[in-house]
Amino acid sequence: MEKIQHNYVKANGLNHHVAEIGTGQSVVVFLHGFPEIWYSWRHQMIAVANAGYRAIAPDWRGYGLSDPPPEPEKASSGDFITDLLGILDALAIPKVFIVGKDFGARPAFFFALLYPERVLGVATLGIPFVPPGPITYNKSLPEGFYISRWKEPGRAEADFGRLDAKTVVRNVYILFSKTEIPIAREDQEIMDMVESSTPLPPWFTEEDLEAYGALYEKSGFRTALKVPYRSFDEEFNLPDTKVEVPSLLIMGEKDYCFKFPGMEDYIRSGQVKSFVPNLEITYLPEGTHFVQEQFPDRVNELLLSFLNKHS
């Protein structure tokens, strides 16, 4: 960890925190999800750097050590895509592999559609390519579905606001590590679904939680609630919806996202390959939503195999 360098890159008027390690000519950019941050890629960054690649992991705008946007409630996924372009331009990096986790999969794939000449390949963890359009999971899930709750302005703010940032991250990590979709009772808030005595997942230490807590203490959750949870219906002017670059999907078979209505069939039937024809899919039988932290050695092995094959 001590070899990872931390810098700030100016892009689109904001200072973006970028963690970096390695000096190779081939560059791998890691895009985090929620409630993650650059730190969630610590194992992968060191592994790819040791294999001769340059690893870069930014905090999205409004997350961690990056500047917040002037109006967090107006942040968009499109901003995140232009930020990624600005960071690469500022660092004079012409082409990259992109690795995206959770909602980071969306900007990873959409960046590849908008700027195919800048992308060598895309790997995503937990979320496949999904074409742009309204998210409809909430229509077939109960009112207490966590995304439905977090989309509601003010509700998550009030729920999270009762706790410190570290406890919010702790609770979300515990909930998202389960095999069931987080759905609260009508008389219950999402944070109340986790008892204070519930232990952390065995692969997630108190030291890890401290690191996440400090970063979210700095940034808060205003931007995080807007992107992704209140920007799913955003419109994109994509030139195409077929991702032609080589791609890899690593899917934990105990990831609760697998239980989103239609998700497992979309992946297992191969329907996803109608959008991403050059897609390899690997399933981790015991993998949950955080496979890169739960099984870092296996994920590193899969990523390096993919990178080496397409470099």
Side-chain angles (χ1 to χ4, degrees):
M1 288 291 291
E2 67 278 358
K3 293 181 182 177
I4 294 176
Q5 304 295 311
H6 297 271
N7 300 296
Y8 287 89
V9 176
K10 191 86 168 182
N12 299 319
L14 299 175
N15 289 309
H16 298 264
H17 170 253
V18 176
E20 183 172 353
I21 185 171
T23 57
Q25 291 297 307
S26 293
V27 181
V28 186
V29 176
F30 293 92
L31 306 179
H32 67 81
F34 178 82
E36 296 160 299
I37 212 78
W38 76 266
Y39 183 86
S40 62
W41 296 113
R42 58 200 179 281
H43 305 298
Q44 287 68 47
M45 293 179 72
I46 292 169
V48 301
N50 287 342
Y53 294 88
R54 180 182 177 190
I56 293 173
D59 291 343
W60 291 121
R61 60 167 59 196
Y63 280 78
L65 299 176
S66 290
D67 284 350
E71 298 179 87
E73 288 73 20
K74 293 184 178 179
S76 69
S77 295
D79 293 336
F80 285 24
I81 293 168
T82 57
D83 286 346
L84 176 57
L85 178 65
I87 290 168
L88 296 181
D89 286 348
L91 295 174
I93 298 172
K95 279 197 163 192
V96 292
F97 287 100
I98 305 179
V99 182
K101 161 73 173 45
D102 186 69
F103 85 81
R106 195 181 211 196
F109 279 123
F110 289 8
F111 187 90
L113 288 170
L114 289 165
Y115 308 104
E117 73 283 357
R118 305 292 295 267
V119 182
L120 294 164
V122 175
T124 64
L125 283 63
I127 297 290
F129 175 84
V130 178
I135 297 295
T136 58
Y137 304 131
N138 57 316
K139 294 180 180 178
S140 53
L141 290 169
E143 172 275 336
F145 176 43
Y146 77 98
I147 290 180
S148 297
R149 291 287 186 85
W150 290 351
K151 282 180 74 172
E152 184 182 333
R155 186 155 190 173
E157 286 86 341
D159 188 16
F160 291 4
R162 299 174 295 151
L163 308 167
D164 61 25
K166 186 172 87 167
T167 304
V168 173
V169 174
R170 170 191 173 275
N171 289 355
V172 178
Y173 250 82
I174 289 170
L175 282 174
F176 284 10
S177 296
K178 296 177 183 288
T179 58
E180 298 300 321
I181 297 171
I183 298 174
R185 300 189 311 267
E186 286 188 24
D187 63 347
Q188 181 186 46
E189 296 301 324
I190 299 298
M191 290 293 100
D192 297 327
M193 295 177 67
V194 181
E195 298 287 343
S196 59
S197 59
T198 305
L200 290 168
W203 40 264
F204 193 72
T205 68
E206 285 291 340
E207 182 183 10
D208 295 332
L209 180 58
E210 286 287 344
Y212 279 94
L215 292 167
Y216 275 98
E217 190 69 44
K218 187 266 179 191
S219 66
F221 298 97
R222 286 178 69 191
T223 306
L225 287 167
K226 180 61 169 65
V227 184
Y229 299 104
R230 297 170 188 166
S231 61
F232 284 128
D233 296 342
E234 189 177 331
E235 293 187 8
F236 294 87
N237 294 314
L238 297 175
D240 192 7
T241 54
K242 184 170 282 190
V243 179
E244 299 286 0
V245 298
S247 300
L248 171 69
L249 171 62
I250 301 173
M251 197 76 208
E253 293 192 87
K254 293 187 177 179
D255 188 331
Y256 74 89
C257 289
F258 229 10
K259 294 188 176 177
F260 282 2
M263 181 66 80
E264 183 168 4
D265 183 62
Y266 173 69
I267 297 171
R268 289 198 190 274
S269 70
Q271 185 184 348
V272 62
K273 293 187 179 182
S274 65
F275 298 104
V276 191
N278 299 313
L279 177 66
E280 305 168 42
I281 304 174
T282 297
Y283 301 97
L284 301 185
E286 297 300 314
T288 61
H289 191 60
F290 302 102
V291 287
Q292 85 281 18
E293 294 178 281
Q294 183 186 12
F295 297 118
D297 292 345
R298 179 63 177 137
V299 169
N300 294 346
E301 178 187 331
L302 291 168
L303 283 178
L304 285 170
S305 174
F306 175 75
L307 296 171
N308 293 338
K309 181 177 179 181
H310 299 290
S311 290

